[in-house]
Structures are given as structure tokens and as C-alpha cells.
């Protein structure tokens, strides 16, 4: 394991709508992760913060904000932003510094405090900002895009609103015993279908909420972990890929795809390429997975991810779900944590929360939701403006 | 840009964004096409080609196909947050469609024309571009936007009408 990076500690602040400063959650998670690792804050040589764009200047300089809150220690600092993929990019920065031999111990922290309702762009007249323009000119919210993807599953693959609802039912059940989940309540298909439609064909209960939360991960070189006798899981891949031109699936916050007039589309869509890059890096494949944490911004999107991460062929995700393959106890449980369905999204913390769950699963510590004998886990997500994120961890 | 000169704008009625579409009898989206490789860009932003193997920096303004086929569709049942400006109070839901323009190899988002909803759409169905009022300014100016209107299947759809 020499030359490798290991995760030696993880920690979270429970997700919710607590309304406190984001630093509160970040510090809580960081201390939990350090305690989990058996390390002190002063052992940390690099702190990487996941930026939050909704909390003013301290949010823009999240790395230093957390370092200051934990007590200035002289540690090196970095801050990363990649929308929903922020945590993976922060993790990648920490991993790279360790692999380069520039430090042995790194702490990665992401935390957010979110307003109620739709995620909206920053204020002001911003005519050169596509994220502002899509609201102004189209009224296109995030669920608009989720609705487009969901409708294609129905019209092309024969998915039904009941299938989408079953994803919510599954994830709600998975998250029942997760102490960090915001929503811990069983939901029925009927309840999902009875909730109001937000963006046809998606109901309110098909779409994830926005939440407050914080997550932290402590990474060290394998050599350091061995020397200090720390328990760790292996960080096998961190894929932070961007799309390949021409990107043919219209992504948030874009008005249009790239043009295929001059260049034929790549063999893999952008979302397909994210996990693929991680598999290549780890020398593993979808058949090796014990579990996956994927970004279920909507229930239908979770089904897209089954195909994007190679669990099945295009158009087969509904069958996988109906057969119970992705339910706890099935062939490859997806979102054993309960996923965004149970958490709601705390943007800069979410990709790290996915990693925390996989670490707990691989160490047999996911009480009430344990995937038996878990050996390899993958996380996948995508941040707007072309940010891929996939992490593979193994025992 | 030249888009403005090609556009006849009636008093009190102006595009919500300049240079993205024409507003004549046969309105069309305005994109830019790379003179070197033919890649088309919408919105017509940027002064260089985004094809990574091209490097062209001469882009010409082109009208995009007025007809295309629905790639997917959805609607907005709740009022979007600012900077969206609602046209009515109370808010009235509207539909959106992503439309594939075959000749340009683009999928372009847009609201769906007034009077049409998700029940009038299906993936693959033909639509045509129209220009309608998005909202009314504080000074009473109607701000217009492109929209996709369902049409009968027929000749011309997907052929791009040769406008590129």
C-alpha cells in the first residue's frame, strides 16, 4: 500500500434545517472525523475546504474559515468549488498533495447552510451569467432539468411514475436508521404519487430538498497510517472529469447542448464517463462493486445513474429496481445511506457525505443499513458547469 | 450586433435578451457558426470556436432551424424564484421543452408556447419556434422570448429548412 492514500477518519453533522452558520457544521464534522481517526487538529498539515457560494465571504474562503474556527495552526490551506461535485474536488486536492509527498495528513471539510425553496442564482443583474439567465429567460429551475431527464425515461424506456416513487420508497427505508439523515420516515408509493407535481412528471417527493449539513474526511499517506497504527480504507480513485466535446445532454445551467455538426458525439455521455474514469483509475469495474452512493437529486435520476455507473444497460434500470437488486440485501445496494431522498442536498458537503457512508459500510459500521461483507464502494455525482465526481474506496 | 439591425422591433415590444433571436414574421434563434469547422453555438456567445480540435476564431452569425423535434419536456408548476419575472399574479404554470435541431446538431431549451402544456408534447414530436411575451417591464414594455409551439408532423421538420 506504499504510495497510496487512505481514509483514516470520517465525521458528519446531522443534516437538517438548523439555520446556524455553516462553520458550526463544518467544525462539528471535522472534530468528529479527527476523533474517528485518533488524530489531533494540530496533526493536520493541510486543510481543504469545500466552498459555499451562499454564505458570503467566509464561504468563498471555506478552507481558511474552517482553519480559523478550529484554531489557527499554521496548516497549509486550499479551497475548492465544483458545485455538487465540490467535495470530490477538495478530496482530490488533498490526495494529490499527499501523493506528491508534500504532506502526510490532510483534512477535507464541506458544510452548508441553505435557504428554503428552490436553489436560486446569486442576486443582482447578471446578464453574462448563464445560471442567472436561465432563471430570467426560461424560468428553468433545477427541477426543470430533472423533469426533462425523467420524461425521457418514460417516453424512451417505459418507466412509470410508480417506478420513480419506488426509488423514494427504497431510499426512505434505507435511511430509517441513519443518525445523520434529515428525513427518517417510511414513505409509500401512494404518498409520493399524491404529493403535488413540481416539474412534470416529478412529484414533490421525487425531488430532493436543500439541507444544512457538514461532512469531513481525514486522509493520510498509507505509510503514515501504518506508522501510527491507524485503521483506514483505501482511496482507489477520485475522478473529477469534465465533459468531452460535444456534450450532447443538456446540463444545468445551459440553454443548449454542444453542436454535433462538426464532431460526432463521444462513445460515452458525460455522465457515463464519470464512473468510467474512476474505474480506469482504480483498475476495477462495476462488477466489483458491493454498493454505490449516487446523486439522487431526483428519483428518476437515480435510475439514470444505474446505467451511467454500469450496473446495467441503458433502459434496464427500472428492471434492476423492480427486481430488488439495488435494495439492501440485493445484488448491489444503491444509496444504503438513504441518499439525497433522506438527506436533502447540502452542496459542498454532499460528495463528502457520500464518501463517509462508503467508509462506514466498508468498515462494517453502518448500523441498521449495513451491506454485508462490503469490500468496494463507489460514489458518483455531477456538479453543474461540467463537474464530474466519482470516488472509489476499498477495504 | 447585426442581429439588432435585422430585427424589426415594434415600439413597446422588445426581446428580453438582445441578439439571441429575431422577431420578424419568421422568427429564428441566432447562433454563431465557426467558419473553420462548422460547429454551431447557441447562445451566440464567445468569439472563438468551442471545438477543442479546431481553434477557429472567426464566427459568423446564423439563423438556426425554426423547426425541430422534442428531445424532452417538462413544466413549472410553481413560480420560479427571481430573477424570473412572473407575467401573471397568481402565477400560471408553463411548460418547457428541449428541442433537437437536426441540421445544427443542437438541443435547445425553451418555454412552450402559450396555450400548450405537457399533454400536447411527446419525445420526437415536431415543434416550431415562435416569439411571445415573457413578461412586462415596469415601464410597460413587453419583453419577448422564443418559445416552442407544437405543430402537425409534416415536411420540413428535421430538415432544418436549409437556414444554416
Amino acid at each position: 500500500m506504499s504510495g497510496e492514500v487512505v481514509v483514516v477518519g470520517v465525521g458528519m453533522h446531522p443534516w437538517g434545517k438548523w439555520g446556524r452558520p455553516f462553520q458550526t457544521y463544518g467544525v462539528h464534522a471535522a472534530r468528529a472525523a479527527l476523533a474517528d481517526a485518533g488524530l489531533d487538529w494540530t496533526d493536520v498539515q493541510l486543510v481543504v475546504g469545500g466552498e459555499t457560494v451562499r454564505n458570503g465571504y467566509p464561504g468563498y474562503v471555506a478552507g481558511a474559515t474552517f482553519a480559523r474556527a478550529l484554531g489557527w495552526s499554521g496548516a497549509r490551506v486550499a479551497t475548492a468549488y465544483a458545485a455538487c461535485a465540490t467535495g470530490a474536488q477538495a478530496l482530490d486536492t488533498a490526495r494529490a498533495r499527499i501523493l506528491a509527498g508534500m504532506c502526510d495528513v490532510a483534512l477535507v471539510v464541506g458544510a452548508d447552510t441553505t435557504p428554503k425553496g428552490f436553489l436560486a442564482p446569486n442576486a443582482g443583474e447578471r446578464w453574462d451569467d448563464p445560471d442567472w439567465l436561465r432563471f430570467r429567460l426560461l424560468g428553468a429551475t433545477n427541477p426543470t432539468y430533472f423533469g426533462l431527464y425523467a420524461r425521457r425515461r418514460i417516453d424512451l424506456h417505459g418507466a412509470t411514475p410508480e417506478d420513480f416513487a419506488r426509488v423514494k420508497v427504497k431510499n426512505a427505508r434505507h435511511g430509517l436508521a441513519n443518525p445523520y439523515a434529515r428525513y427518517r420516515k417510511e414513505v409509500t408509493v401512494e404518498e409520493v404519487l399524491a404529493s403535488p407535481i413540481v416539474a412534470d412528471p416529478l412529484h414533490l417527493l421525487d425531488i430532493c430538498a436543500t439541507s444544512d449539513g457538514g461532512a469531513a474526511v481525514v486522509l493520510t499517506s498509507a505509510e503514515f497510517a501504518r506508522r501510527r497504527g491507524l485503521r483506514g480504507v483505501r482511496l482507489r480513485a477520485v475522478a473529477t472529469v469534465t465533459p468531452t466535446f460535444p456534450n450532447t445532454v443538456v446540463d444545468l445551467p445551459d440553454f443548449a447542448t454542444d453542436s454535433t455538426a462538426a464532431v460526432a458525439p463521444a462513445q460515452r455521455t458525460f455522465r457515463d464517463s464519470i464512473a468510467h474514469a474512476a474505474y480506469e483509475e482504480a483498475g476495477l469495474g462495476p462488477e466489483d462493486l458491493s454498493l454505490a452512493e449516487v446523486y439522487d437529486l431526483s428519483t428518476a435520476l437515480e435510475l439514470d445513474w444505474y446505467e451511467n455507473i454500469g450496473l446495467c444497460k441503458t433502459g434496464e434500470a427500472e428492471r434492476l429496481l423492480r427486481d430488488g437488486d439495488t435494495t439492501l440485501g440485493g445484488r448491489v445496494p444503491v444509496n444504503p445511506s438513504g441518499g439525497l431522498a433522506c438527506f436533502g442536498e447540502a452542496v459542498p458537503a454532499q460528495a463528502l457525505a457520500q464518501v463517509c457512508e462508503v467508509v462506514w459500510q466498508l468498515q462494517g459500521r453502518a448500523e441498521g443499513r449495513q451491506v454485508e461483507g462490503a469490500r468496494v464502494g463507489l460514489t458518483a455525482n455531477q456538479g453543474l458547469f461540467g463537474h464530474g465526481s466519482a470516488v472509489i474506496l476499498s477495504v | 450586433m447585426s442581429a439588432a439591425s435585422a430585427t424589426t422591433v415594434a415600439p413597446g415590444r422588445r426581446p428580453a435578451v438582445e441578439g439571441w433571436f429575431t422577431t420578424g414574421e419568421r422568427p429564428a434563434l441566432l447562433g454563431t457558426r465557426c467558419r473553420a469547422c462548422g460547429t454551431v453555438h447557441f447562445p451566440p456567445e464567445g468569439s472563438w470556436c468551442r471545438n477543442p480540435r479546431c481553434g477557429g476564431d472567426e464566427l459568423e452569425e446564423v439563423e438556426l432551424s425554426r423547426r425541430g423535434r422534442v428531445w424532452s419536456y417538462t413544466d413549472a408548476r410553481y413560480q420560479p424564484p427571481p430573477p424570473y419575472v412572473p407575467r401573471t399574479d397568481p402565477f400560471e404554470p408553463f411548460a418547457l421543452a428541449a428541442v433537437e435541431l437536426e441540421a445544427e446538431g443542437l438541443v435547445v431549451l425553451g418555454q412552450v408556447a402559450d396555450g400548450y402544456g405537457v399533454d400536447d408534447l411527446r419525445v420526437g414530436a415536431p415543434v416550431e419556434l415562435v416569439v411571445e411575451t415573457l413578461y412586462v417591464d415596469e415601464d410597460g414594455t413587453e419583453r419577448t422570448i422564443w418559445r416552442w409551439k407544437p405543430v402537425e408532423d409534416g415536411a420540413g421538420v428535421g430538415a432544418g429548412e436549409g437556414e444554416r
Side-chain angles (χ1 to χ4, degrees):
Chain A
M1 292 211 330
S2 137
E4 279 200 17
V5 172
V6 291
V7 176
V8 296
V10 293
M12 288 171 64
H13 182 286
W15 262 226
K17 213 69 175 177
W18 315 108
R20 293 198 283 273
F22 75 96
Q23 298 93 313
T24 315
Y25 317 132
V27 168
H28 179 102
R31 288 183 171 159
L34 287 164
D36 190 41
L39 293 172
D40 294 325
W41 158 237
T42 47
D43 293 326
V44 173
Q45 298 156 321
L46 168 71
V47 58
V48 188
E51 175 175 340
T52 162
V53 296
R54 273 168 254 284
N55 291 281
Y57 204 81
Y60 301 152
V61 294
T65 297
F66 295 133
R68 182 173 186 265
L70 288 159
W72 292 124
S73 67
R76 300 293 178 98
V77 67
T79 296
Y81 188 68
C84 303
T86 293
Q89 202 175 82
L91 201 69
D92 198 32
T93 300
R95 178 183 71 148
R97 292 266 189 108
I98 294 171
L99 286 176
M102 296 170 74
C103 69
D104 280 319
V105 183
L107 170 69
V108 183
V109 191
D112 206 9
T113 296
T114 48
K116 193 173 179 296
F118 289 115
L119 286 180
N122 287 335
E125 296 268 323
R126 300 159 64 86
W127 290 91
D128 56 354
D129 176 354
D131 195 43
W132 187 89
L133 282 166
R134 61 152 167 153
F135 283 89
R136 179 63 153 234
L137 300 180
L138 299 177
T141 61
N142 292 2
T144 297
Y145 295 80
F146 310 154
L148 293 174
Y149 306 145
R151 171 54 63 180
R152 269 181 81 79
R153 291 212 71 85
I154 291 177
D155 281 20
L156 298 184
H157 305 315
T160 64
E162 287 78 9
D163 288 324
F164 301 157
R166 278 187 206 105
V167 174
K168 174 75 173 185
V169 171
K170 167 184 78 73
N171 287 346
R173 214 168 272 157
H174 284 180
L176 277 178
N178 190 334
Y180 300 102
R182 174 177 173 192
Y183 304 103
R184 275 173 282 171
K185 184 172 169 291
E186 290 234 35
V187 177
T188 65
V189 167
E190 293 70 30
E191 284 169 328
V192 176
L193 297 180
S195 67
I197 290 179
V198 173
D200 180 272
L202 297 173
H203 295 76
L204 184 63
L205 292 181
D206 285 308
I207 297 169
C208 91
T210 59
S211 291
D212 298 0
V217 175
V218 180
L219 304 176
T220 71
S221 61
E223 169 59 29
F224 179 92
R226 191 164 47 239
R227 212 163 55 228
R228 294 284 290 260
L230 305 177
R231 164 191 61 180
V233 307
R234 300 165 68 191
L235 183 57
R236 302 291 296 272
V238 184
T240 53
V241 289
T242 52
T244 300
F245 181 90
N247 188 6
T248 55
V249 177
V250 62
D251 276 338
L252 287 75
D254 294 336
F255 284 81
T257 59
D258 292 333
S259 159
T260 57
V263 182
Q267 182 194 344
R268 290 182 191 83
T269 66
F270 175 43
R271 229 184 274 133
D272 287 339
S273 74
I274 297 170
H276 178 77
Y279 290 134
E280 293 275 293
E281 195 172 300
L284 296 166
E287 65 283 358
D288 296 310
L289 297 184
S290 311
L291 69 130
E293 285 280 314
V294 303
Y295 226 54
D296 56 323
L297 290 165
S298 82
T299 50
L301 196 64
E302 176 171 315
L303 297 171
D304 283 345
W305 278 116
Y306 294 178
E307 299 163 3
N308 300 138
I309 68 173
L311 297 185
C312 61
K313 295 198 183 87
T314 301
E316 293 182 351
E318 285 75 14
R319 189 175 55 77
L320 215 62
L321 174 77
R322 292 173 199 154
D323 290 352
D325 285 20
T326 57
T327 305
L328 272 171
R331 180 169 68 83
V332 52
V334 174
N335 286 332
S337 70
L340 296 176
C342 292
F343 277 79
E345 190 186 20
V347 176
Q350 210 66 44
L352 295 174
Q354 292 182 307
V355 170
C356 291
E357 175 67 13
V358 172
V359 169
W360 282 318
Q361 290 286 351
L362 296 181
Q363 294 181 329
R365 298 196 284 156
E367 206 175 318
R369 58 186 194 284
Q370 182 64 46
V371 176
E372 293 308 323
R375 299 189 60 79
V376 179
L378 170 134
T379 76
N381 101 27
Q382 179 189 351
L384 53 71
F385 284 98
H387 290 102
S389 150
V391 177
I392 296 179
L393 300 128
S394 75
V395 293
Chain B
M1 61 202 294
S2 60
S5 59
T7 305
T8 41
V9 181
R13 193 171 154 84
R14 298 180 59 80
V17 59
E18 288 296 331
W20 286 26
F21 59 97
T22 64
T23 58
E25 201 152 298
R26 292 166 57 78
L29 294 170
L30 291 169
T32 47
R33 183 172 57 194
C34 174
R35 286 185 202 273
C37 77
T39 290
V40 182
H41 306 84
F42 181 83
E45 56 186 338
S47 47
W48 56 86
C49 181
R50 290 210 311 269
N51 173 358
R53 287 176 182 79
C54 175
D57 55 6
E58 277 187 55
L59 301 179
E60 57 185 342
E61 186 176 86
V62 286
E63 291 194 356
L64 306 188
S65 303
R66 300 190 56 247
R67 287 191 165 199
R69 291 190 181 275
V70 173
W71 182 84
S72 194
Y73 56 95
T74 183
D75 61 11
R77 301 283 177 101
Y78 292 88
Q79 182 173 312
Y84 185 74
V85 183
R87 188 163 49 143
T88 57
D89 184 18
F91 169 76
E92 284 173 26
F94 59 90
L96 298 108
V99 173
E100 199 161 6
L101 307 179
E102 192 181 36
E104 293 83 1
L106 285 170
V107 174
V108 181
L109 270 178
Q111 292 185 348
V112 172
D114 280 334
Y116 297 92
V118 289
D119 291 341
D120 303 305
L121 298 162
R122 61 182 166 75
V123 170
V127 291
E128 181 177 82
L129 188 122
V130 295
V131 168
E132 295 182 342
T133 302
L134 178 64
Y135 63 94
V136 180
D137 259 354
E138 283 165 6
D139 66 5
T141 305
E142 285 183 36
R143 292 290 176 170
T144 60
I145 198 71
W146 78 89
R147 288 198 171 134
W148 298 114
K149 181 181 174 179
V151 291
E152 294 295 314
D153 217 334
V157 178
E161 297 190 0
E163 286 178 353
R164 52 178 298 247

